[in-house]
Coordinates of all heavy atoms in Angstrom, one line a residue:
M1 N 17.4 25.5 6.2 CA 17.4 24.1 6.0 C 16.1 23.6 6.6 O 15.8 23.9 7.8 CB 18.6 23.3 6.6 CG 18.5 21.9 6.3 SD 20.2 21.1 6.4 CE 20.3 20.8 8.2
T2 N 15.4 22.7 5.9 CA 14.1 22.1 6.4 C 14.5 20.9 7.3 O 15.3 20.2 7.0 CB 13.3 21.5 5.2 OG1 13.0 22.6 4.4 CG2 11.9 21.0 5.7
E3 N 13.7 20.8 8.5 CA 14.0 19.8 9.4 C 13.0 18.7 9.1 O 11.8 18.9 9.2 CB 13.8 20.2 10.8 CG 14.1 19.2 11.9 CD 14.0 19.7 13.3 OE1 14.4 20.8 13.5 OE2 13.5 18.9 14.1
N4 N 13.5 17.6 8.7 CA 12.6 16.4 8.3 C 12.5 15.5 9.7 O 13.5 15.4 10.4 CB 13.2 15.6 7.2 CG 13.1 16.3 6.0 OD1 12.1 16.9 5.6 ND2 14.3 16.2 5.1
K5 N 11.3 14.9 9.7 CA 11.3 14.0 10.9 C 11.4 12.6 10.2 O 10.9 12.3 9.1 CB 9.9 14.0 11.5 CG 9.8 15.4 12.1 CD 8.5 15.5 12.9 CE 8.2 16.9 13.5 NZ 8.6 17.2 14.7
Y6 N 12.0 11.7 10.8 CA 12.3 10.3 10.4 C 11.7 9.3 11.2 O 11.5 9.4 12.4 CB 13.8 10.1 10.3 CG 14.5 11.0 9.2 CD1 15.1 12.1 9.6 CD2 14.4 10.8 7.9 CE1 15.7 13.1 8.7 CE2 14.9 11.6 6.9 CZ 15.6 12.8 7.3 OH 16.1 13.6 6.4
I7 N 11.3 8.1 10.6 CA 10.8 7.0 11.3 C 11.6 5.8 10.9 O 12.1 5.6 9.7 CB 9.3 6.8 11.1 CG1 8.9 6.7 9.7 CG2 8.5 7.9 11.8 CD1 7.5 6.5 9.4
S8 N 11.7 4.9 11.8 CA 12.5 3.7 11.7 C 11.9 2.6 11.0 O 10.6 2.6 11.0 CB 13.2 3.2 13.1 OG 12.1 2.7 13.8
T9 N 12.6 1.6 10.6 CA 11.9 0.4 10.0 C 11.0 -0.3 11.0 O 9.8 -0.6 10.8 CB 12.9 -0.7 9.7 OG1 14.0 0.0 8.8 CG2 12.4 -1.9 9.0
K10 N 11.3 -0.4 12.3 CA 10.6 -0.9 13.4 C 9.3 -0.1 13.6 O 8.2 -0.7 13.7 CB 11.5 -0.9 14.7 CG 10.7 -1.7 15.8 CD 11.6 -1.8 17.0 CE 10.9 -2.5 18.1 NZ 11.7 -2.6 19.3
E11 N 9.4 1.2 13.6 CA 8.2 2.0 13.7 C 7.2 1.9 12.6 O 6.1 1.8 12.7 CB 8.6 3.6 13.8 CG 9.4 3.9 15.2 CD 9.9 5.2 15.1 OE1 10.6 5.6 14.2 OE2 9.8 5.9 16.3
I12 N 7.8 1.7 11.3 CA 6.9 1.5 10.1 C 6.2 0.2 10.2 O 4.9 0.1 10.0 CB 7.7 1.6 8.9 CG1 8.1 3.0 8.6 CG2 7.0 1.0 7.7 CD1 9.1 3.3 7.5
C13 N 7.0 -0.9 10.8 CA 6.4 -2.2 10.8 C 5.3 -2.2 11.9 O 4.2 -2.8 11.7 CB 7.5 -3.3 11.2 SG 8.7 -3.6 9.9
T14 N 5.5 -1.5 13.0 CA 4.4 -1.4 13.9 C 3.2 -0.6 13.5 O 2.1 -1.0 13.7 CB 5.0 -0.7 15.3 OG1 6.1 -1.4 15.7 CG2 4.0 -0.5 16.3
R15 N 3.5 0.4 12.8 CA 2.4 1.3 12.3 C 1.5 0.6 11.3 O 0.3 0.7 11.3 CB 3.0 2.5 11.6 CG 2.0 3.5 10.9 CD 2.7 4.8 10.5 NE 2.0 5.7 9.8 CZ 2.3 6.8 9.4 NH1 3.5 7.2 9.6 NH2 1.6 7.6 8.7
F16 N 2.1 -0.3 10.4 CA 1.3 -0.9 9.4 C 1.1 -2.4 9.7 O 0.6 -3.1 8.8 CB 2.0 -0.7 8.0 CG 2.0 0.7 7.5 CD1 3.3 1.4 7.4 CD2 0.8 1.4 7.3 CE1 3.2 2.7 7.0 CE2 0.9 2.7 6.9 CZ 2.1 3.4 6.8
R17 N 1.5 -2.8 10.9 CA 1.4 -4.2 11.3 C 1.9 -5.2 10.3 O 1.0 -6.1 9.9 CB -0.1 -4.5 11.7 CG -0.6 -3.6 12.8 CD -2.0 -4.0 13.2 NE -2.7 -2.8 13.6 CZ -3.8 -2.3 13.3 NH1 -4.5 -3.1 12.6 NH2 -4.3 -1.2 13.8
C18 N 3.1 -5.1 10.0 CA 3.7 -6.0 8.9 C 5.2 -6.1 9.2 O 5.7 -5.5 10.1 CB 3.5 -5.5 7.5 SG 4.4 -4.0 7.2
S19 N 5.8 -7.2 8.5 CA 7.2 -7.3 8.7 C 8.1 -6.4 7.8 O 7.6 -5.8 7.0 CB 7.6 -8.8 8.4 OG 7.5 -8.9 7.0
S20 N 9.4 -6.3 8.2 CA 10.3 -5.4 7.3 C 10.3 -6.1 5.9 O 10.4 -5.3 4.9 CB 11.6 -5.3 8.0 OG 12.2 -6.7 8.2
R21 N 10.2 -7.4 5.8 CA 10.2 -8.1 4.6 C 9.1 -7.6 3.7 O 9.3 -7.3 2.5 CB 10.2 -9.6 4.7 CG 10.2 -10.3 3.5 CD 11.5 -10.8 3.2 NE 11.5 -11.8 2.0 CZ 12.2 -11.6 1.0 NH1 13.0 -10.7 0.9 NH2 12.1 -12.5 0.0
T22 N 7.9 -7.4 4.2 CA 6.8 -6.9 3.5 C 7.0 -5.5 3.0 O 6.7 -5.1 1.9 CB 5.5 -6.9 4.4 OG1 5.2 -8.3 4.8 CG2 4.3 -6.3 3.7
I23 N 7.6 -4.6 3.8 CA 8.0 -3.2 3.5 C 8.8 -3.3 2.2 O 8.7 -2.5 1.2 CB 8.5 -2.4 4.7 CG1 7.6 -2.3 5.8 CG2 9.1 -1.1 4.2 CD1 6.3 -1.5 5.5
F24 N 9.8 -4.0 2.3 CA 10.8 -4.2 1.2 C 10.3 -4.8 0.0 O 10.5 -4.3 -1.2 CB 12.0 -4.9 1.6 CG 13.0 -4.0 2.4 CD1 12.8 -4.1 3.8 CD2 13.9 -3.0 1.9 CE1 13.6 -3.2 4.6 CE2 14.6 -2.3 2.8 CZ 14.4 -2.4 4.1
R25 N 9.2 -5.7 0.1 CA 8.5 -6.1 -1.2 C 7.7 -5.0 -1.7 O 7.6 -4.9 -2.9 CB 7.7 -7.3 -0.7 CG 8.4 -8.6 -0.8 CD 7.4 -9.8 -0.7 NE 6.6 -9.8 0.5 CZ 6.8 -10.5 1.6 NH1 7.8 -11.3 1.7 NH2 6.0 -10.5 2.5
K26 N 7.1 -4.2 -0.9 CA 6.2 -3.1 -1.4 C 7.0 -2.0 -2.1 O 6.6 -1.4 -2.9 CB 5.4 -2.4 -0.2 CG 4.3 -3.4 0.3 CD 3.4 -2.7 1.4 CE 2.4 -3.8 1.9 NZ 1.2 -3.3 2.4
M27 N 8.3 -1.9 -1.7 CA 9.1 -1.0 -2.4 C 9.4 -1.4 -3.8 O 9.7 -0.5 -4.7 CB 10.6 -0.9 -1.6 CG 10.4 -0.1 -0.3 SD 11.9 -0.3 0.7 CE 13.1 0.1 -0.3
K28 N 9.3 -2.6 -4.1 CA 9.5 -3.1 -5.4 C 8.3 -3.3 -6.3 O 8.4 -3.6 -7.5 CB 10.1 -4.6 -5.3 CG 11.5 -4.7 -4.7 CD 12.0 -6.1 -4.5 CE 13.4 -6.1 -3.8 NZ 13.9 -7.5 -3.7
R29 N 7.2 -2.8 -5.8 CA 6.0 -2.7 -6.7 C 6.2 -1.8 -7.9 O 6.9 -0.8 -7.8 CB 4.8 -2.1 -5.9 CG 4.2 -2.9 -4.9 CD 3.2 -2.0 -4.2 NE 2.4 -2.7 -3.2 CZ 1.4 -2.1 -2.5 NH1 1.2 -0.9 -2.6 NH2 0.8 -2.8 -1.5
P30 N 5.5 -2.1 -9.0 CA 5.5 -1.1 -10.1 C 4.9 0.3 -9.7 O 4.1 0.3 -8.8 CB 4.7 -1.8 -11.2 CG 4.1 -3.0 -10.7 CD 4.7 -3.3 -9.2
E31 N 5.3 1.2 -10.4 CA 4.7 2.6 -10.2 C 3.2 2.7 -10.1 O 2.7 3.3 -9.2 CB 5.3 3.5 -11.2 CG 5.1 5.0 -10.8 CD 5.8 5.4 -9.6 OE1 7.0 4.9 -9.4 OE2 5.3 6.2 -8.9
R32 N 2.6 1.9 -11.0 CA 1.1 2.0 -11.0 C 0.4 1.3 -9.6 O -0.8 1.5 -9.4 CB 0.6 1.3 -12.2 CG 0.9 -0.1 -12.3 CD 0.3 -0.7 -13.7 NE 1.0 -2.1 -14.0 CZ 0.8 -3.2 -13.4 NH1 -0.1 -3.2 -12.3 NH2 1.5 -4.3 -13.8
E33 N 1.2 0.6 -8.9 CA 0.7 -0.1 -7.7 C 1.2 0.5 -6.4 O 1.2 0.0 -5.4 CB 1.1 -1.5 -7.7 CG 0.5 -2.4 -8.8 CD 0.9 -3.9 -8.7 OE1 1.3 -4.3 -7.8 OE2 0.7 -4.5 -9.8
N34 N 1.6 1.9 -6.6 CA 2.1 2.6 -5.3 C 3.1 2.0 -4.5 O 2.9 1.5 -3.4 CB 0.8 2.8 -4.5 CG 1.1 3.9 -3.4 OD1 1.8 4.9 -3.5 ND2 0.4 3.8 -2.3
P35 N 4.4 2.0 -5.1 CA 5.4 1.4 -4.4 C 5.8 2.2 -3.0 O 5.6 3.4 -3.0 CB 6.7 1.5 -5.3 CG 6.3 2.6 -6.2 CD 4.8 2.6 -6.4
F36 N 6.2 1.5 -2.0 CA 6.6 2.1 -0.8 C 7.9 2.9 -1.1 O 8.8 2.6 -1.8 CB 6.9 1.1 0.3 CG 6.8 1.6 1.7 CD1 5.7 1.9 2.3 CD2 8.0 1.9 2.3 CE1 5.6 2.4 3.6 CE2 8.0 2.4 3.6 CZ 6.8 2.6 4.3
P37 N 8.0 4.1 -0.4 CA 9.1 5.0 -0.7 C 10.4 4.3 -0.1 O 10.4 3.5 0.8 CB 8.9 6.3 0.0 CG 7.8 5.9 1.2 CD 7.1 4.9 0.5
Y38 N 11.6 4.6 -0.7 CA 12.8 4.2 -0.3 C 13.3 4.9 1.0 O 12.9 6.1 1.2 CB 13.9 4.3 -1.3 CG 13.8 3.2 -2.5 CD1 13.0 3.4 -3.5 CD2 14.4 2.0 -2.2 CE1 12.8 2.4 -4.5 CE2 14.3 0.9 -3.3 CZ 13.5 1.1 -4.3 OH 13.3 0.1 -5.2
P39 N 14.1 4.3 1.9 CA 14.5 4.9 3.0 C 15.4 6.1 2.6 O 16.2 6.0 1.7 CB 15.4 3.9 3.8 CG 15.6 2.9 2.9 CD 14.6 2.9 1.8
R40 N 15.4 7.3 3.3 CA 16.2 8.3 3.0 C 17.6 8.2 3.7 O 18.5 8.7 3.1 CB 15.6 9.6 3.8 CG 14.3 10.1 3.1 CD 14.6 10.5 1.7 NE 13.9 11.9 1.5 CZ 14.3 12.5 0.5 NH1 15.1 12.2 -0.4 NH2 13.7 13.7 0.4
I41 N 17.7 7.5 4.7 CA 19.0 7.2 5.4 C 19.1 5.7 5.6 O 18.3 5.1 6.2 CB 19.1 7.9 6.7 CG1 19.0 9.5 6.5 CG2 20.4 7.6 7.4 CD1 18.9 10.4 7.8
K42 N 20.1 5.1 5.0 CA 20.4 3.7 5.1 C 21.6 3.6 6.0 O 22.6 4.2 5.8 CB 20.8 3.0 3.7 CG 19.6 3.0 2.8 CD 19.9 2.3 1.5 CE 18.7 2.3 0.6 NZ 19.1 1.6 -0.6
Q43 N 21.5 2.9 7.1 CA 22.5 2.7 8.0 C 22.9 1.1 8.1 O 22.0 0.4 8.6 CB 22.0 3.1 9.4 CG 21.6 4.7 9.4 CD 21.2 5.1 10.8 OE1 20.6 4.2 11.5 NE2 21.1 6.4 10.9
A44 N 24.1 0.9 7.8 CA 24.6 -0.5 7.8 C 24.5 -1.0 9.2 O 25.1 -0.4 10.2 CB 26.0 -0.5 7.3
G45 N 24.0 -2.2 9.4 CA 23.9 -2.7 10.8 C 23.1 -2.1 11.8 O 23.1 -2.3 13.0
S46 N 22.2 -1.2 11.2 CA 21.2 -0.6 12.1 C 19.9 -0.4 11.3 O 19.7 -0.9 10.2 CB 21.8 0.8 12.4 OG 21.0 1.5 13.4
Q47 N 19.0 0.4 11.9 CA 17.7 0.7 11.3 C 17.9 1.7 10.1 O 18.6 2.7 10.3 CB 16.7 1.2 12.4 CG 16.4 0.3 13.4 CD 15.3 -0.7 13.0 OE1 14.5 -0.4 12.2 NE2 15.4 -1.9 13.6
N48 N 17.1 1.4 9.1 CA 17.0 2.4 8.1 C 16.0 3.5 8.6 O 15.1 3.2 9.4 CB 16.4 1.9 6.8 CG 17.4 0.9 6.2 OD1 18.6 1.1 6.1 ND2 16.9 -0.2 5.6
L49 N 16.1 4.7 8.0 CA 15.2 5.7 8.4 C 14.5 6.3 7.2 O 15.1 6.5 6.1 CB 16.0 6.9 9.1 CG 16.8 6.5 10.5 CD1 17.6 7.7 10.8 CD2 15.7 6.1 11.5
W50 N 13.2 6.5 7.3 CA 12.3 6.9 6.2 C 11.8 8.4 6.6 O 11.6 8.6 7.8 CB 11.2 6.1 6.1 CG 11.3 4.9 5.2 CD1 11.0 4.7 3.9 CD2 11.9 3.6 5.6 NE1 11.3 3.5 3.4 CE2 11.8 2.8 4.4 CE3 12.4 3.1 6.8 CZ2 12.3 1.5 4.4 CZ3 12.8 1.8 6.7 CH2 12.8 1.0 5.6
C51 N 11.6 9.2 5.6 CA 11.0 10.4 5.8 C 9.5 10.3 6.1 O 8.8 9.7 5.4 CB 11.1 11.3 4.6 SG 10.4 12.9 4.6
S52 N 9.1 10.8 7.4 CA 7.7 10.5 7.8 C 6.7 11.2 6.8 O 5.6 10.7 6.6 CB 7.6 11.1 9.1 OG 7.7 12.4 9.2
K53 N 7.1 12.3 6.2 CA 6.1 13.0 5.3 C 6.0 12.1 4.0 O 4.7 11.9 3.6 CB 6.7 14.3 4.8 CG 5.8 15.1 3.9 CD 6.4 16.4 3.7 CE 5.4 17.3 2.7 NZ 5.9 18.6 2.4
E54 N 7.0 11.5 3.5 CA 6.9 10.6 2.3 C 6.2 9.4 2.6 O 5.2 8.8 1.9 CB 8.3 10.1 1.8 CG 9.1 11.2 1.2 CD 10.5 10.9 0.8 OE1 10.9 9.7 1.0 OE2 11.2 11.7 0.3
V55 N 6.2 8.8 3.8 CA 5.5 7.6 4.2 C 4.0 8.0 4.3 O 3.1 7.2 3.9 CB 6.0 7.1 5.6 CG1 5.0 5.9 6.1 CG2 7.5 6.5 5.4
G56 N 3.7 9.2 4.9 CA 2.3 9.7 4.9 C 1.7 9.8 3.7 O 0.6 9.5 3.5
I57 N 2.4 10.3 2.7 CA 2.0 10.5 1.3 C 1.6 9.1 0.7 O 0.6 9.0 0.1 CB 2.9 11.3 0.5 CG1 2.9 12.8 0.8 CG2 2.5 11.3 -1.1 CD1 4.1 13.7 0.4
W58 N 2.6 8.1 1.0 CA 2.3 6.8 0.4 C 1.1 6.3 1.1 O 0.2 5.7 0.4 CB 3.5 5.9 0.8 CG 3.2 4.6 0.5 CD1 3.5 3.9 -0.8 CD2 2.7 3.5 1.3 NE1 3.1 2.6 -0.8 CE2 2.6 2.3 0.5 CE3 2.4 3.4 2.6 CZ2 2.1 1.1 1.0 CZ3 1.8 2.3 3.1 CH2 1.7 1.1 2.3
E59 N 0.9 6.4 2.4 CA -0.3 5.9 3.0 C -1.5 6.5 2.5 O -2.6 5.7 2.2 CB -0.2 6.3 4.5 CG -1.3 5.7 5.4 CD -1.1 5.9 6.8 OE1 -0.4 6.8 7.2 OE2 -1.7 5.1 7.7
D60 N -1.6 7.7 2.3 CA -2.8 8.4 1.7 C -3.1 7.8 0.3 O -4.3 7.4 0.0 CB -2.7 9.8 1.5 CG -2.6 10.6 2.9 OD1 -3.1 10.0 3.8 OD2 -2.2 11.9 2.9
K61 N -2.0 7.7 -0.6 CA -2.3 7.0 -1.9 C -2.7 5.5 -1.8 O -3.5 5.0 -2.6 CB -1.0 7.0 -2.7 CG -0.7 8.5 -3.2 CD 0.6 8.4 -3.9 CE 1.0 9.8 -4.4 NZ 2.3 9.9 -5.1
E62 N -2.1 4.9 -0.7 CA -2.5 3.3 -0.6 C -4.0 3.3 -0.1 O -4.6 2.3 -0.6 CB -1.6 2.8 0.5 CG -1.7 1.3 0.5 CD -1.2 0.6 -0.7 OE1 -0.7 1.1 -1.7 OE2 -1.3 -0.7 -0.7
I63 N -4.4 4.2 0.7 CA -5.9 4.1 1.1 C -6.8 4.4 -0.1 O -7.8 3.7 -0.3 CB -6.1 5.1 2.2 CG1 -5.4 4.8 3.5 CG2 -7.5 5.5 2.5 CD1 -5.4 5.9 4.5
E64 N -6.4 5.3 -0.9 CA -7.1 5.6 -2.2 C -7.1 4.3 -3.0 O -8.1 4.0 -3.6 CB -6.5 6.8 -2.9 CG -7.1 8.0 -2.7 CD -6.4 9.2 -3.4 OE1 -6.1 8.9 -4.7 OE2 -6.1 10.2 -2.9
R65 N -5.9 3.8 -3.3 CA -5.8 2.7 -4.2 C -6.7 1.4 -3.7 O -7.4 0.9 -4.5 CB -4.3 2.2 -4.3 CG -4.0 1.2 -5.3 CD -2.5 0.8 -5.3 NE -2.2 0.0 -4.2 CZ -2.3 -1.3 -4.2 NH1 -2.9 -2.0 -5.2 NH2 -1.9 -2.0 -3.1
T66 N -6.6 1.1 -2.4 CA -7.3 0.0 -1.9 C -8.8 0.2 -1.8 O -9.6 -0.6 -2.1 CB -6.8 -0.5 -0.5 OG1 -6.8 0.6 0.3 CG2 -5.3 -1.0 -0.6
A67 N -9.2 1.5 -1.6 CA -10.6 1.9 -1.7 C -11.1 1.6 -3.1 O -12.3 1.2 -3.3 CB -10.9 3.2 -1.3
L68 N -10.4 2.1 -4.2 CA -10.7 2.0 -5.6 C -10.8 0.5 -5.9 O -11.8 -0.1 -6.5 CB -9.8 2.6 -6.4 CG -10.1 2.5 -7.9 CD1 -11.4 3.1 -8.3 CD2 -9.0 3.3 -8.8
D69 N -9.8 -0.4 -5.4 CA -9.9 -1.8 -5.7 C -11.1 -2.5 -5.1 O -11.8 -3.3 -5.7 CB -8.6 -2.5 -5.0 CG -7.4 -2.2 -5.9 OD1 -7.5 -1.7 -7.0 OD2 -6.3 -2.6 -5.4
R70 N -11.5 -2.1 -3.9 CA -12.6 -2.6 -3.2 C -13.9 -2.2 -4.1 O -14.8 -3.1 -4.3 CB -12.8 -2.1 -1.8 CG -11.9 -2.8 -0.8 CD -12.2 -2.6 0.6 NE -12.3 -1.2 1.0 CZ -11.1 -0.5 1.4 NH1 -10.0 -1.1 1.5 NH2 -11.3 0.8 1.7
F71 N -14.0 -1.1 -4.4 CA -15.1 -0.5 -5.2 C -15.2 -1.3 -6.6 O -16.3 -1.8 -6.9 CB -15.0 1.0 -5.6 CG -16.0 1.5 -6.5 CD1 -17.3 1.7 -6.0 CD2 -15.7 1.8 -7.8 CE1 -18.3 2.2 -6.9 CE2 -16.7 2.2 -8.7 CZ -18.0 2.4 -8.3
L72 N -14.1 -1.5 -7.2 CA -14.1 -2.3 -8.5 C -14.5 -3.8 -8.2 O -15.3 -4.3 -9.1 CB -12.8 -2.2 -9.2 CG -12.5 -0.7 -9.6 CD1 -11.0 -0.7 -10.2 CD2 -13.4 -0.3 -10.7
N73 N -14.0 -4.4 -7.1 CA -14.4 -5.7 -6.9 C -15.9 -5.8 -6.5 O -16.6 -6.8 -7.0 CB -13.6 -6.3 -5.7 CG -12.1 -6.5 -6.0 OD1 -11.8 -6.7 -7.2 ND2 -11.3 -6.4 -5.0
V74 N -16.5 -4.9 -5.9 CA -17.9 -4.9 -5.6 C -18.7 -4.7 -6.9 O -19.7 -5.5 -7.2 CB -18.3 -3.7 -4.6 CG1 -19.8 -3.6 -4.5 CG2 -17.7 -4.0 -3.2
Q75 N -18.3 -3.8 -7.8 CA -18.9 -3.7 -9.1 C -18.9 -5.0 -9.9 O -19.8 -5.4 -10.5 CB -18.2 -2.5 -9.9 CG -18.5 -1.1 -9.2 CD -19.9 -0.8 -9.1 OE1 -20.7 -0.9 -10.0 NE2 -20.4 -0.3 -7.9
E76 N -17.8 -5.6 -9.9 CA -17.5 -6.8 -10.6 C -18.6 -8.0 -10.0 O -19.2 -8.6 -10.8 CB -16.2 -7.4 -10.5 CG -15.2 -6.7 -11.4 CD -13.8 -7.2 -11.3 OE1 -13.6 -8.2 -10.6 OE2 -12.9 -6.4 -11.8
A77 N -18.7 -8.0 -8.7 CA -19.5 -9.0 -8.0 C -21.0 -8.6 -8.4 O -21.8 -9.6 -8.6 CB -19.3 -8.9 -6.5
I78 N -21.4 -7.4 -8.4 CA -22.7 -7.0 -8.8 C -23.0 -7.5 -10.3 O -24.0 -8.0 -10.6 CB -23.0 -5.5 -8.5 CG1 -23.0 -5.2 -7.0 CG2 -24.3 -5.1 -9.2 CD1 -22.9 -3.7 -6.7
S79 N -22.1 -7.1 -11.2 CA -22.2 -7.5 -12.5 C -22.5 -9.1 -12.6 O -23.2 -9.5 -13.4 CB -21.1 -7.1 -13.3 OG -21.1 -5.7 -13.4
A80 N -21.5 -9.8 -12.0 CA -21.7 -11.3 -12.0 C -23.0 -11.7 -11.5 O -23.6 -12.7 -12.0 CB -20.5 -11.8 -11.3
Q81 N -23.5 -11.1 -10.4 CA -24.7 -11.5 -9.9 C -25.9 -11.2 -10.8 O -26.8 -12.0 -11.0 CB -25.0 -10.8 -8.5 CG -26.3 -11.2 -7.8 CD -26.3 -12.7 -7.4 OE1 -25.3 -13.2 -6.9 NE2 -27.4 -13.4 -7.6
K82 N -25.8 -10.0 -11.5 CA -26.8 -9.7 -12.3 C -26.8 -10.7 -13.6 O -28.0 -11.1 -14.1 CB -26.6 -8.4 -13.0 CG -27.1 -7.1 -12.0 CD -26.9 -5.9 -12.6 CE -27.2 -4.8 -11.7 NZ -26.9 -3.4 -12.2
Q83 N -25.7 -11.1 -14.0 CA -25.6 -12.1 -15.1 C -26.2 -13.4 -14.7 O -26.9 -14.1 -15.4 CB -24.1 -12.3 -15.5 CG -23.8 -13.3 -16.6 CD -24.5 -12.8 -17.9 OE1 -24.6 -11.6 -18.1 NE2 -25.0 -13.7 -18.7
T84 N -25.9 -13.9 -13.4 CA -26.4 -15.0 -12.9 C -27.9 -15.0 -12.7 O -28.7 -16.0 -13.2 CB -25.8 -15.4 -11.5 OG1 -24.3 -15.5 -11.7 CG2 -26.4 -16.7 -10.9
D85 N -28.5 -13.8 -12.3 CA -29.9 -13.7 -12.2 C -30.5 -13.7 -13.6 O -31.8 -14.2 -13.6 CB -30.2 -12.3 -11.5 CG -29.8 -12.3 -10.0 OD1 -29.5 -13.4 -9.4 OD2 -29.7 -11.2 -9.5
N86 N -30.0 -13.4 -14.6 CA -30.5 -13.3 -15.9 C -30.4 -14.6 -16.7 O -31.2 -14.8 -17.7 CB -30.0 -12.2 -16.8 CG -30.3 -10.7 -16.3 OD1 -31.3 -10.6 -15.6 ND2 -29.5 -9.8 -16.5
D87 N -29.6 -15.5 -16.2 CA -29.4 -16.8 -16.9 C -30.6 -17.7 -16.6 O -31.1 -17.8 -15.5 CB -28.2 -17.5 -16.4 CG -26.9 -16.9 -16.8 OD1 -26.9 -16.0 -17.9 OD2 -25.8 -17.2 -16.4
P88 N -31.1 -18.3 -17.7 CA -32.3 -19.2 -17.3 C -31.9 -20.5 -16.6 O -30.6 -20.9 -16.8 CB -32.7 -19.6 -18.8 CG -31.6 -19.4 -19.7 CD -30.8 -18.2 -19.1
I89 N -32.8 -21.0 -15.9 CA -32.3 -22.2 -15.0 C -32.7 -23.4 -15.9 O -33.9 -23.5 -16.4 CB -33.2 -22.1 -13.7 CG1 -32.8 -21.0 -12.9 CG2 -33.0 -23.6 -13.0 CD1 -33.5 -20.8 -11.7
I90 N -31.7 -24.2 -16.1 CA -31.9 -25.5 -16.9 C -32.1 -26.6 -15.9 O -31.3 -26.9 -15.0 CB -30.7 -25.6 -17.8 CG1 -30.5 -24.4 -18.6 CG2 -30.9 -26.9 -18.6 CD1 -29.3 -24.5 -19.5
H91 N -33.2 -27.4 -16.2 CA -33.4 -28.6 -15.3 C -33.3 -29.9 -16.1 O -33.7 -30.0 -17.2 CB -34.8 -28.5 -14.7 CG -35.0 -27.3 -13.7 ND1 -34.6 -27.5 -12.4 CD2 -35.5 -26.1 -13.8 CE1 -34.9 -26.5 -11.8 NE2 -35.4 -25.6 -12.6

């Protein structure tokens, strides 16, 4: 049997500097927006536990996704600036 390491909601919130509410909102994202993984162990009246490996995989994908978003935003800004530079000035 494989031994999994688990991290609590509190540890996840500390790691990503966010509230548990934010984590649960990220879990509801559509698949194309890299939803946060669901907890592996749900404990009523206590902390949920997530598989640390799944959280690490999500984190790597999130870094990729946000880097791509930043790149696309820069490209859009460059295109908009070029368009502005090419527009004649009307007085």
